[in-house]
Amino acid sequence: MELTASVLAAPTTPADEARVLVVLPSLGTSVAALWQQAASAFAAVSPETTVIGIDLPGHGRSTPITVPPETSVAPRITMSDLAEAVLSTLDRVLPDVVAPGTPVDLAGDSIGGATAMQLALDHADRFGRIAVFCTGAKIGEATAWEERAQTVATSGTPTQIIGSAQRWFGEGFMDREPEASAALLHSLQDADRFSYASLCYALADFDVRERLPEITRPVLAVAGSEDQPTPATKLAEIANAVPGALLEVIEGAAHLVPAEAPAVTAGLLHDFFGGKGLGAGAGGTAAAGGSAGADGAAGAAALPTASGPREASRDEVREAGMTVRREVLSDAHVDRANAKVDDFTSDFQDLITRYAWGEIWTRPGLDRRMRSAITLTAMIAGGHEAELAMHVKAALRNGLTRDEIKEVLLQSAIYCSVPSANTAFSVASQALAEVDAEANADDPSES
């Protein structure tokens, strides 16, 4: 596996304390499309630093992973394989760029962040500070990555464009930045299908949650407030487990923070690599449309952590709960519920938002797919048919497939009772039919 490195920003002033920042992209993106704007902004505040980007195999300028002729199966690789390929690339290019012994810092988004954590575990002595964006110690479920790998190996990366456009960007970004979003989606379309599939296999097997306390390098974990694949709780899990790590959340950004908020990214990295504290220390926020300067990130505030937002105020817990409630149940559902609130029911609605959604659903110990499966089972066991219909639709939004929902209902027949499962299948079938009807109503091509 041979990767290609590019200099995204060269030093503009001589410096006795020269440094190197290596940046790694997310699955489906080229390093230039994802990191170039942030690298240029970083160079403006850190002119002594060389920024080197390394493309994933089969992405951007890197050559594809070798596969046998006429194959339809991608080879399996691991995150350790990818980390070793990054290290080998650095060994090859660094002597041509900087003097021996120059400190090397590391930043990566999504699978790039996962690779950075793997390098921190396997080769800590090679790096200084490490920033991980929009990632997790475990990302998604193995079965979903396996399915995606097979789909892409067979049908190509264009099958992922619609879904990625929905997952990658915060609300309004594609309208505000059409060139940047188009470049990112084009890099996905141009990515080699077998290389992309092999990286899916690496993500399927990746899980370093138990090893996070072993990371000895200073770590900054950065989340996008609207990120669905790796929500802020995933980054909080990292920040809470790695000794001394910092957490920052970029408001309004989703899964590609370096592209969505390049100026904020540059400011955070400048502060972090300069050894300064960020925002509120272990928990801060900055706006995607704002800036973070040399004195710290903008808009620091307390955020949910691995134990839920225990240190947050009542209003902050409620706000975090309302955000998750809207993401899981949909804006339309929550707006309908709020419209019915009166003096008699307002305290109950506040209780639900703060405790069910603000304290429980924000916890990183289980991902939303697992929480949906548990909730479906609880609704079946309790005979709560109206709530079951609502949570069937929520389960789809949280990433459960229809087949997985069916399996939950089938298992409930054994552990809850056949009559309960019989009712559940009827309720779920109606809920799924409503989802289909709503989709067809939104898409004229289906009518």
Side-chain angles (χ1 to χ4, degrees):
M1 192 189 332
E2 186 170 323
L3 307 180
T4 299
S6 306
V7 174
L8 302 183
T12 56
T13 59
D16 295 333
E17 300 296 329
R19 298 190 72 90
V20 173
L21 168 60
V22 177
V23 295
L24 306 173
S26 66
L27 180 64
T29 71
S30 71
V31 73
L34 179 60
W35 279 101
Q36 184 61 70
Q37 284 189 319
S40 298
F42 181 72
V45 294
S46 184
E48 72 283 0
T49 303
T50 301
V51 182
I52 297 174
I54 299 179
D55 275 308
L56 295 167
H59 292 60
R61 298 177 59 205
S62 287
T63 58
I65 290 176
T66 302
V67 297
E70 300 181 1
T71 187
S72 60
V73 179
R76 295 194 78 96
I77 64 171
T78 67
M79 203 64 69
S80 293
D81 294 332
L82 185 57
E84 293 301 324
V86 168
L87 198 64
S88 176
T89 303
L90 287 177
D91 288 339
R92 188 177 71 250
V93 304
L94 281 179
D96 296 330
V97 178
V98 293
T102 299
V104 177
D105 298 316
L106 192 58
D109 187 279
S110 192
I111 193 174
T115 307
M117 284 187 282
Q118 191 71 56
L119 286 165
L121 288 166
D122 297 343
H123 300 283
D125 59 313
R126 296 291 304 273
F127 300 96
R129 291 173 170 254
I130 295 174
V132 295
F133 290 72
C134 308
T135 190
K138 180 181 185 297
I139 304 174
E141 297 300 321
T143 53
W145 287 118
E146 299 274 352
E147 291 172 3
R148 191 190 297 192
Q150 294 167 14
T151 297
V152 172
T154 302
S155 304
T157 55
T159 59
Q160 303 303 304
I161 289 177
I162 294 177
S164 294
Q166 295 169 342
R167 293 187 297 267
W168 280 359
F169 309 122
E171 183 177 359
F173 177 78
M174 295 183 71
D175 292 331
R176 294 193 307 271
E177 301 289 346
E179 292 185 7
S181 53
L184 287 160
L185 292 171
H186 277 128
S187 66
L188 170 60
Q189 181 172 325
D190 294 340
D192 172 65
R193 57 178 174 145
F194 293 117
S195 301
Y196 184 106
S198 292
L199 294 168
C200 289
Y201 289 136
L203 287 165
D205 297 334
F206 179 69
D207 186 351
V208 295
R209 288 175 293 181
E210 297 299 320
R211 297 191 63 194
L212 288 175
E214 299 174 26
I215 295 178
T216 59
R217 310 313 302 162
V219 169
L220 168 65
V222 182
S225 67
E226 297 183 19
D227 191 359
Q228 297 177 27
T230 53
T233 48
K234 287 282 188 183
L235 282 300
E237 180 179 40
I238 295 169
N240 278 276
V242 176
L246 301 173
L247 171 67
E248 292 287 330
V249 176
I250 310 304
E251 290 296 332
H255 194 57
L256 302 182
V257 164
E260 295 176 276
V264 173
T265 296
L268 290 175
L269 293 179
H270 179 262
D271 286 355
F272 177 60
F273 294 136
K276 299 179 181 179
L278 298 167
T285 61
S291 63
D295 293 329
L303 293 165
T305 66
S307 299
R310 306 299 185 192
E311 302 304 320
S313 69
R314 178 189 178 102
D315 287 343
E316 287 168 337
V317 172
R318 189 183 190 285
E319 182 179 351
M322 182 60 73
T323 297
V324 177
R325 189 178 182 187
R326 287 184 176 278
E327 290 172 353
V328 173
L329 300 182
S330 80
D331 286 334
H333 175 90
V334 175
D335 288 342
R336 286 194 299 269
N338 287 341
K340 298 177 183 177
V341 172
D342 54 26
D343 290 341
F344 184 71
T345 62
S346 60
D347 287 345
F348 178 64
Q349 287 298 319
D350 180 67
L351 179 75
I352 292 172
T353 301
R354 285 189 295 111
Y355 285 96
W357 299 103
E359 294 282 358
I360 297 301
W361 278 83
T362 60
R363 294 175 66 87
L366 300 174
D367 63 18
R368 290 187 187 176
R369 283 167 42 84
M370 179 68 78
R371 291 194 186 278
S372 273
I374 293 169
T375 304
L376 290 177
T377 305
M379 295 302 103
I380 295 167
H384 307 302
E385 297 176 19
E387 294 277 315
L388 174 60
M390 175 182 73
H391 279 284
V392 166
K393 297 177 182 180
L396 290 176
R397 278 187 289 273
N398 282 343
L400 285 177
T401 66
R402 294 182 185 224
D403 282 344
E404 288 171 332
I405 293 172
K406 178 181 70 176
E407 292 300 324
V408 172
L409 270 55
L410 284 170
Q411 185 149 334
S412 73
I414 303 302
Y415 291 96
C416 297
S417 80
V418 170
S420 295
N422 184 47
T423 300
F425 268 101
S426 176
V427 171
S429 295
Q430 178 61 34
L432 294 172
E434 291 173 3
V435 170
D436 292 338
E438 291 168 3
N440 290 339
D442 291 339
D443 186 356
S445 66
E446 296 294 329
S447 55

